[in-house]
Amino acid sequence: MIDPRLLRSDPASVAKRLQIKGYTLDVELFESLETKRKALQVDTESLQAERNARSRHIGKAKATGQDIKPLLKDVADLGAQLDDRKQNLLEIQEQLTDLMMSLPNLPDESVPEGGDEDDNQVVRSWGDPTAFDFTPLDHVDLTREGGLMDFDAGVKIAGSRFVVLRGAVARLHRALIQFMLDVHTREHGYQELYVPYVVNRESLMGTGQLPKFESDLFKLTDEREFYLAPTAEVPVTNIVRDCIVEAEQMPLRFVCHTPCFRSEAGSYGKDTRGMIRQHQFEKVELVQMVPPEDSWAALEALTGHAEMILQKLGLPYRVMNLCGGDLGFSAAKTYDLEVWLPGQQAFREISSCSNFLDFQARRMQARWRNPDTGKPELLHTLNGSGLAIGRTLVAVLENYQLADGRIRVPQILQSYIGGDAVLAP
RNA sequence: GGAGGGGUGGCAGAGCGGUUGAAUGCACCGGUCUUGAAAACCGGCAUGCCGAGAGGCAUCCAGGGUUCGAAUCCCUGCCCCUCCGCCA
């Protein structure tokens, strides 16, 4: 949520900055709601003050044994009046909260202008696109033999955009998870977490998936409002919801491997081949909670942590600064890591690292105790994939393929799969 | 699944339906004392909104209800704890 004070004091400049994200704020609607709210609130509160005063009076009169009947008569119609105004106020407030909760975060100054991914800026790149003296295959063709990636089985069991992995590929997939968790816990100072994969409405509100993006989620048919987590960001970030974190515990750095479930509504026909876009995929997620003044440095560090995985795996990639139009709902700034996929002859997103500033924290009421003021203040949250497992698997298969169709195993992964230098079927 | 007990400030923990936004302790902040620290003592210490200020309003898990008035009474939901049963 955007700071309501900022929105109230300068809606025009908020609107201007939201426009960079392609969001049009109806300033007039907001201001008229705000004006109504203010009037109603003052009205209601003065009425309440009167009622409170009179009730107190009755209490005192009763205590001294006076006749309270005339006093009661006085307040007879106050209650109904009050109920009426309260109801009006509540309706306006509800409209205002709905509006506020559906406003995206303000983009940072350093976010480039632009409407879609074509306007993203290359910040830096690492490695050169892998060279082959033959025409490289994509991961689908590479794994056809032996049904190592069995898309038909996935379809049979669940439906399209699901897959069954077998044998060496399933093992490599698992090895990638272990490897990433090890690097982040041992070298980057993250605490490993295990979390629920089912999340409630409040949690999704907190990180910003709700109320606007319900259709991206799988909802369970239960009388409780349960959803499958679309990313570990949701369960992990919500750990600090309604919490006041002590300063000496900061920064909090969590790493968590979870499956992620996404309905991918609206992506029909997009990335239908292979494992690039699935309803269910694994991800190792990095999440940080930091004091506000540290969050920009933390974004650079966190992005670096994700990059380190690609470097250790020897996968060429580039870092993109997302333009306004491509920026997510909650993010103030996002770096995407794009890995080189020889099968597609293209860079594809494999990680997304964002600073949310206090946007999520305000929704979650996640605070820390600022030692300078002694007061609870909103903290800053960040997260990034470190990395998406399915896409990393694809990248390894495609970048490490040999002319005969076998797959070399990146040096650093060999100890995770029994020392094999070439993927054994 | 069955039977009970609970949800109050950062934490612990009081709180006859009226002057309780809430005793007390701990923690924290400031001060006195001390060479310094500890102890002791004094003072301060929830959040949001409105207001220039004085002050006002709201919040004691959430939502309804009773009442002139609810932290306190009633109903529903959520969560936690204890015991029994079942279970990976």
Side-chain angles (χ1 to χ4, degrees):
Chain A
M1 200 161 78
I2 297 174
D3 187 349
R5 261 171 281 190
L6 178 63
L7 195 54
R8 274 196 283 267
S9 65
D10 195 359
S13 80
V14 169
K16 200 172 157 195
R17 288 174 70 188
L18 287 179
Q19 199 63 56
I20 297 171
K21 262 183 151 174
Y23 182 92
T24 306
L25 172 63
D26 190 339
V27 176
E28 266 175 48
L29 172 68
F30 173 75
E31 287 189 320
S32 84
L33 280 174
E34 223 355 73
T35 312
K36 273 191 221 163
R37 196 219 90 222
K38 226 175 194 173
L40 267 169
Q41 188 164 332
V42 170
D43 223 38
T44 310
E45 286 184 2
S46 61
L47 208 58
Q48 267 169 331
E50 191 179 335
R51 187 206 57 189
N52 289 348
R54 290 199 190 186
S55 290
R56 223 169 297 150
H57 212 77
I58 293 173
K60 278 183 193 161
K62 209 174 171 184
T64 52
Q66 298 173 35
D67 181 21
I68 59 165
K69 275 221 180 90
L71 292 172
L72 285 179
K73 218 171 166 185
D74 259 6
V75 283
D77 57 331
L78 259 181
Q81 263 185 64
L82 196 55
D83 280 348
D84 197 51
R85 288 188 209 191
K86 265 190 187 163
Q87 192 55 42
N88 288 340
L89 181 60
L90 216 67
E91 276 165 30
I92 294 286
Q93 274 171 336
E94 220 163 87
Q95 285 179 52
L96 268 170
T97 338
D98 285 354
L99 180 63
M100 304 265 255
M101 288 300 271
S102 61
L103 293 186
N105 199 2
L106 298 170
D108 182 60
E109 305 289 341
S110 64
V111 169
E113 284 187 40
D116 57 34
E117 58 182 37
D118 295 334
D119 298 316
N120 295 340
Q121 281 178 358
V122 181
V123 176
R124 59 182 167 269
S125 49
W126 186 91
D128 295 316
T130 315
F132 296 93
D133 49 15
F134 57 93
T135 306
L137 302 177
D138 80 351
H139 62 285
V140 178
D141 291 329
L142 277 168
T143 56
R144 200 176 296 280
E145 205 170 324
L148 296 177
M149 274 187 196
D150 194 337
F151 296 100
D152 295 336
V155 167
K156 180 167 63 184
I157 296 163
S160 66
R161 294 199 192 280
F162 288 95
V163 71
V164 170
L165 304 181
R166 292 183 206 270
V169 169
R171 191 164 62 238
L172 183 60
H173 185 255
R174 172 165 55 89
L176 285 168
I177 296 166
Q178 306 283 26
F179 160 65
M180 292 181 200
L181 286 171
D182 284 348
V183 171
H184 294 311
T185 54
R186 290 173 190 166
E187 298 175 25
H188 299 150
Y190 288 78
Q191 182 184 44
E192 185 171 345
L193 296 180
Y194 169 82
V195 296
Y197 304 153
V198 170
V199 294
N200 58 31
R201 184 174 181 81
E202 289 70 37
S203 295
L204 289 158
M205 281 288 208
T207 33
Q209 283 77 15
L210 286 180
K212 283 195 90 174
F213 308 103
E214 173 126 30
S215 64
D216 294 344
L217 302 166
F218 283 116
K219 187 175 187 179
L220 302 185
T221 55
D222 188 279
E223 50 195 37
R224 292 161 292 192
E225 273 207 278
F226 282 154
Y227 297 81
L228 295 178
T231 159
E233 166 189 354
V234 180
V236 175
T237 311
N238 274 279
I239 285 174
V240 295
R241 172 153 53 90
D242 296 321
C243 280
I244 298 173
V245 181
E246 292 304 327
E248 54 270 22
Q249 295 181 312
M250 306 260 268
L252 292 174
R253 288 181 166 181
F254 298 122
V255 61
C256 185
H257 156 245
T258 67
C260 305
F261 301 94
R262 300 188 182 176
S263 80
E264 294 297 343
S267 67
Y268 307 108
K270 209 171 160 190
D271 298 318
T272 49
R273 182 177 167 86
M275 258 190 86
I276 294 294
R277 194 176 296 276
Q278 298 279 290
H279 287 311
Q280 171 186 321
F281 62 96
E282 306 295 301
K283 187 154 56 70
V284 167
E285 184 79 357
L286 304 172
V287 177
Q288 294 197 27
M289 292 86 175
V290 304
E293 67 267 24
D294 296 342
S295 68
W296 289 114
L299 176 64
E300 299 302 322
L302 185 148
T303 307
H305 298 150
E307 285 179 64
M308 186 52 68
I309 299 293
L310 288 165
Q311 292 181 15
K312 282 176 185 282
L313 290 172
L315 295 170
Y317 69 90
R318 60 184 192 183
V319 181
M320 309 297 286
N321 184 6
L322 294 198
C323 73
D326 207 22
L327 214 52
F329 178 77
S330 302
K333 179 174 187 171
T334 298
Y335 290 123
D336 268 10
L337 305 188
E338 297 184 341
V339 71
W340 176 253
L341 293 186
Q344 295 194 4
Q345 289 290 299
F347 285 100
R348 291 304 304 258
E349 178 189 338
I350 197 164
S351 171
S352 199
C353 304
S354 305
N355 186 0
F356 303 96
L357 302 178
D358 60 10
F359 185 84
Q360 293 181 327
R362 185 172 290 106
R363 291 170 157 250
M364 292 190 301
Q365 281 305 297
R367 294 171 295 171
W368 71 304
R369 196 170 290 279
N370 185 343
D372 293 338
T373 62
K375 300 263 181 199
E377 295 172 14
L378 294 173
L379 47 75
H380 282 192
T381 61
L382 305 99
N383 69 54
S385 349
L387 309 162
I389 304 299
R391 290 186 180 181
T392 309
L393 176 71
V394 167
V396 168
L397 293 174
E398 295 193 4
N399 281 283
Y400 280 85
Q401 60 182 297
L402 299 168
D404 60 6
R406 292 184 304 155
I407 312 287
R408 282 194 301 127
V409 178
Q411 183 82 44
I412 197 130
L413 283 182
Q414 291 179 8
S415 62
Y416 286 88
I417 60 166
D420 298 339
V422 173
L423 210 56

